[in-house]
Amino acid sequence: MDIHFRQANQNDAAAIWTILQHAILRRKNDGSTQWQDGYPNPEIINNDILKGAGYVLVQEDQILGYTAIYFNDEPAYENIQGKWLTNNNFVVVHRIAIGESQIGKGFAKLILKYVEQVALEENIYSIKADTNYDNLPMLRIFESLGYQYCGEVFFRGSPRKAFEKTLKP
C-alpha cells in the first residue's frame, strides 16, 4: 500500500471536486451547517491548485483525500476571539476531505501528519486550523492529534472553533 502526499495539479481537479461534493453531502446528512453555503466550490479548488496550496493523498493513481495548505495566510485568524498559542510563522490547513469509499480508514489523520511534515520542512512549528462546531468527526481528529482549542474565528458570518498544534523542531 504505497500512499503518498503531493501537491495537486489541474489534472486532479475533477477528482478533488468529486471528493468535496461527497464531503459536502456527508456534512449535510450529519446535520451540519458546514459547507452548506456554496463553499467550497470548483473555483476555490482551482485557486488552491494555482497557488500551489492544494495537496492530495494518493494511492497508486487514486486520490484518497484532499486538503489546502497555506503559509501565514488566513486573515480571519487575525481576529480570533481567544488567543493563539504562538504568534510565529504558521501553516493553515483547510478543506480536509476524504473520498467516499475511504471514510473511516484514518486518512484524515494521515493528511494532518503529512501537513506536519510540510510545516517542519519549512521550519514552521505551528499548525492552525478551524472547523464548525457541529463537525464532530473533525473535532475528534483534532483532539486525538493534540490540537489545542484556542477560541473562535468567523468565516462568511459563521463562528468556527479554532485550533493550534505546536511542533517540535
Side-chain angles (χ1 to χ4, degrees):
M1 187 164 83
D2 182 29
I3 296 176
H4 62 281
F5 190 68
R6 63 167 171 79
Q7 279 189 305
N9 60 57
Q10 287 300 330
N11 294 332
D12 301 325
I16 292 166
W17 178 232
T18 297
I19 287 170
L20 280 164
Q21 285 177 300
H22 287 131
I24 290 166
L25 185 59
R26 269 195 312 278
R27 298 275 28 89
K28 181 179 182 178
N29 290 341
D30 287 346
S32 176
T33 60
Q34 187 172 6
W35 291 0
Q36 303 305 306
D37 61 355
Y39 167 96
N41 55 54
E43 183 179 342
I44 298 289
I45 305 318
N46 188 51
N47 286 338
D48 287 345
I49 292 170
L50 289 174
K51 292 177 180 177
Y55 283 79
V56 288
L57 186 68
V58 180
Q59 182 178 27
E60 296 173 10
D61 291 333
Q62 181 185 9
I63 296 176
L64 305 175
Y66 176 76
T67 197
I69 302 172
Y70 284 89
F71 297 89
N72 299 311
D73 185 20
E74 183 44 77
Y77 286 6
E78 294 173 16
N79 299 314
I80 188 170
Q81 292 184 352
K83 184 172 175 30
W84 294 112
L85 302 175
T86 67
N87 292 313
N88 301 321
N89 290 333
F90 61 94
V91 166
V92 178
V93 60
H94 282 310
R95 294 180 281 290
I96 296 174
I98 304 301
E100 192 67 16
S101 65
Q102 306 303 323
I103 298 300
K105 297 181 179 178
F107 291 135
K109 284 184 181 181
L110 185 57
I111 284 176
L112 285 166
K113 290 295 191 182
Y114 277 116
V115 170
E116 290 181 23
Q117 288 180 11
V118 170
L120 290 171
E121 287 169 6
E122 298 294 326
N123 295 312
I124 295 175
Y125 306 103
S126 167
I127 300 173
K128 296 180 180 179
D130 66 89
T131 196
N132 218 51
Y133 278 81
D134 59 12
N135 188 339
L136 299 180
M138 201 72 230
L139 291 169
R140 282 192 295 268
I141 289 169
F142 285 150
E143 182 181 342
S144 73
L145 292 177
Y147 283 75
Q148 293 184 24
Y149 176 70
C150 293
E152 200 170 74
V153 294
F154 290 83
F155 284 96
R156 298 175 313 285
S158 296
R160 302 279 192 269
K161 284 186 144 188
F163 296 86
E164 183 175 5
K165 181 175 183 176
T166 57
L167 306 174
K168 297 201 180 347

